[in-house]
Coordinates of all heavy atoms in Angstrom, one line a residue:
S2 N 0.7 2.2 -0.9 CA 1.5 3.4 -1.0 C 1.2 4.4 0.1 O 0.1 4.4 0.6 CB 1.3 4.0 -2.4 OG 0.0 4.5 -2.5
A3 N 2.2 5.2 0.3 CA 2.0 6.2 1.4 C 0.8 7.2 1.1 O 0.0 7.5 2.0 CB 3.3 7.0 1.6
P4 N 0.6 7.7 -0.2 CA -0.5 8.5 -0.4 C -1.9 7.9 -0.1 O -2.8 8.5 0.4 CB -0.4 8.9 -1.9 CG 1.0 8.7 -2.2 CD 1.5 7.6 -1.3
N5 N -2.0 6.6 -0.4 CA -3.2 5.9 -0.1 C -3.5 5.7 1.4 O -4.6 5.8 1.9 CB -3.2 4.5 -0.8 CG -3.5 4.6 -2.3 OD1 -4.1 5.5 -2.8 ND2 -3.1 3.6 -3.0
N6 N -2.4 5.5 2.1 CA -2.5 5.4 3.5 C -2.9 6.7 4.1 O -3.7 6.8 5.1 CB -1.2 4.9 4.2 CG -1.0 3.4 4.1 OD1 -2.0 2.7 4.1 ND2 0.2 3.0 4.1
L7 N -2.3 7.8 3.6 CA -2.7 9.1 4.1 C -4.2 9.4 3.8 O -4.9 10.0 4.6 CB -1.9 10.2 3.4 CG -0.4 10.3 3.9 CD1 0.4 11.3 3.0 CD2 -0.3 10.6 5.3
K8 N -4.7 9.0 2.6 CA -6.1 9.1 2.3 C -6.9 8.3 3.3 O -8.0 8.8 3.8 CB -6.4 8.7 0.9 CG -7.8 9.0 0.4 CD -8.0 8.4 -1.0 CE -7.1 9.1 -2.0 NZ -7.5 8.6 -3.4
G9 N -6.5 7.1 3.6 CA -7.2 6.3 4.5 C -7.3 6.9 5.9 O -8.3 6.9 6.6
I10 N -6.1 7.5 6.3 CA -6.1 8.2 7.6 C -7.0 9.4 7.6 O -7.8 9.6 8.6 CB -4.6 8.6 7.9 CG1 -3.8 7.4 8.2 CG2 -4.6 9.6 9.1 CD1 -2.3 7.7 8.4
G11 N -7.1 10.1 6.5 CA -8.0 11.2 6.5 C -9.4 10.8 6.6 O -10.2 11.4 7.4
F12 N -9.8 9.8 5.8 CA -11.2 9.3 5.9 C -11.5 8.8 7.4 O -12.6 9.1 7.9 CB -11.5 8.2 4.9 CG -11.7 8.7 3.5 CD1 -11.0 8.2 2.5 CD2 -12.7 9.6 3.3 CE1 -11.3 8.7 1.2 CE2 -13.0 10.1 2.0 CZ -12.2 9.6 0.9
A13 N -10.5 8.1 8.0 CA -10.8 7.6 9.3 C -10.9 8.7 10.3 O -11.8 8.6 11.2 CB -9.6 6.7 9.7
L14 N -10.1 9.8 10.2 CA -10.2 10.9 11.2 C -11.6 11.6 11.0 O -12.2 11.9 12.0 CB -9.1 11.9 11.0 CG -7.7 11.4 11.3 CD1 -6.6 12.4 11.0 CD2 -7.6 11.1 12.8
I15 N -12.0 11.7 9.8 CA -13.4 12.4 9.6 C -14.4 11.4 10.2 O -15.4 11.9 10.8 CB -13.6 12.6 8.1 CG1 -12.6 13.6 7.6 CG2 -15.0 13.2 7.9 CD1 -12.6 13.8 6.1
S16 N -14.3 10.1 9.9 CA -15.3 9.2 10.4 C -15.3 9.3 12.0 O -16.4 9.2 12.5 CB -14.9 7.8 10.0 OG -15.7 6.8 10.6
M17 N -14.2 9.3 12.6 CA -14.2 9.4 14.1 C -14.8 10.7 14.6 O -15.5 10.7 15.6 CB -12.8 9.2 14.6 CG -12.2 7.9 14.4 SD -13.2 6.5 15.2 CE -14.0 5.9 13.8
G18 N -14.6 11.8 13.8 CA -15.3 13.0 14.2 C -16.8 13.0 14.1 O -17.5 13.5 14.9
V19 N -17.2 12.3 13.0 CA -18.7 12.1 12.8 C -19.2 11.2 14.0 O -20.3 11.5 14.6 CB -19.0 11.4 11.5 CG1 -20.4 10.9 11.4 CG2 -18.7 12.4 10.3

Side-chain angles (χ1 to χ4, degrees):
S2 65
N5 284 337
N6 278 333
L7 288 176
K8 185 184 296 185
I10 289 172
F12 280 127
L14 290 175
I15 297 172
S16 174
M17 293 300 101
V19 169

